[in-house]
Amino acid sequence: DAGVTQSPTHLIKTRGQQVTLRCSPKSGHDTVSWYQQALGQGPQFIFQYYEEEERQRGNFPDRFSGHQFPNYSSELNVNALLLGDSALYLCASSETSGSYYEQYFGPGTRLTVT
Amino acid sequence: AQRVTQPEKLLSVFKGAPVELKCNYSYSGSPELFWYVQYSRQRLQLLLRHISRESIKGFTADLNKGETSFHLKKPFAQEEDSAMYYCALTSETSGSRLTFGEGTQLTVNP
């Protein structure tokens, strides 16, 4: 099991453009969360998907949207990119069974907005 | 609102010295606290969580609800402990959603 995988590794976009980031969860996991990590900061929760629906959302504008597919993989879409969206975007997967949901993180996608 | 504070961005110790990474939190309910670690060129991974009360790689952390702290300790630091350490919190209402601190970069010098 390769664990959580993310693509692409790096991405450079221009302000105003749109971007899609992809995540495949760890085998057996059905819940995917997305985090934004700005330089020098801890990861910040964007949203979480379970059963193809957004279950929780952090304090991010509607320009940030997502999707989960029947195979549990997920996409993060960001519209109208701003310079401040430059960050490392982390995907984490977990399973919903049990009372404790350990998060397994992917390597991240480094987004640079110019 | 949930908040995690790690007061030290950088911490440098010598090999064999004790190390303590500080973490304070604010949450009125019953939190679950975690320490995550990111070694150079590796992904973020769970180091330990307070509910398991276990020692991982010689590290321990005790939840002090009175002081709202969850400091990470190791009696004898090793060079391979050099990494970025993040304290994180979740709660009974937030499920697996994690609130992270800003992280502490630990450097263990030979």
Side-chain angles (χ1 to χ4, degrees):
Chain A
D1 181 15
V4 180
T5 60
Q6 293 185 243
S7 63
T9 306
H10 297 92
L11 205 51
I12 299 175
K13 290 287 188 178
T14 303
R15 191 170 46 184
Q17 286 187 317
Q18 178 264 345
V19 69
T20 298
L21 311 182
R22 295 176 176 82
C23 170
S24 291
K26 181 177 167 63
S27 177
H29 287 185
D30 55 9
T31 301
V32 174
S33 301
W34 286 92
Y35 293 82
Q36 180 195 66
Q37 187 174 18
L39 200 60
Q41 305 291 318
Q44 277 198 296
F45 178 79
I46 302 174
F47 43 52
Q48 183 180 86
Y49 277 83
Y50 170 65
E51 291 188 335
E52 302 179 50
E53 288 190 10
E54 183 183 291
R55 296 292 177 166
Q56 293 194 66
R57 189 177 184 91
N59 190 25
F60 279 81
D62 292 345
R63 297 187 298 109
F64 290 77
S65 63
H67 188 76
Q68 186 178 35
F69 299 93
N71 66 353
Y72 309 121
S73 66
S74 177
E75 287 182 350
L76 163 65
N77 300 293
V78 186
N79 294 322
L81 284 167
L82 303 174
L83 296 179
D85 295 332
S86 295
L88 180 68
Y89 288 85
L90 297 170
C91 171
S93 72
S94 59
E95 49 183 321
T96 54
S97 60
S99 60
Y100 165 59
Y101 313 128
E102 181 172 344
Q103 302 269 304
Y104 288 79
F105 283 84
T109 293
R110 172 75 60 187
L111 172 65
T112 302
V113 182
T114 62
Chain B
Q2 302 173 165
R3 185 176 177 85
V4 176
T5 303
Q6 294 179 250
E8 303 142 328
K9 273 198 173 294
L10 302 171
L11 185 61
S12 183
V13 300
F14 285 102
K15 178 182 173 181
V19 63
E20 180 178 71
L21 290 84
K22 291 183 168 53
C23 172
N24 290 91
Y25 68 90
S26 62
Y27 180 66
S28 56
S30 297
E32 290 191 37
L33 274 295
F34 308 87
W35 277 98
Y36 277 80
V37 62
Q38 187 166 28
Y39 300 102
S40 180
R41 296 190 181 88
Q42 293 188 29
R43 61 187 67 190
L44 197 60
Q45 58 185 286
L46 179 66
L47 178 62
L48 55 79
R49 56 189 192 265
H50 90 270
I51 57 172
S52 62
R53 305 183 71 82
E54 57 192 348
S55 172
I56 304 293
K57 298 184 179 182
F59 284 98
T60 59
D62 290 319
L63 179 61
N64 186 323
K65 291 188 177 181
E67 296 183 358
T68 59
S69 68
F70 188 57
H71 302 328
L72 183 67
K73 301 177 184 178
K74 185 170 183 176
F76 307 103
Q78 302 299 314
E79 289 181 66
E80 56 265 30
D81 296 329
S82 295
M84 192 70 167
Y85 291 81
Y86 294 96
C87 183
L89 174 157
T90 188
S91 69
E92 66 274 10
T93 57
S94 61
S96 52
R97 168 182 178 168
L98 290 166
T99 298
F100 284 89
E102 294 193 351
T104 297
Q105 177 67 52
L106 173 66
T107 302
V108 181
N109 300 297

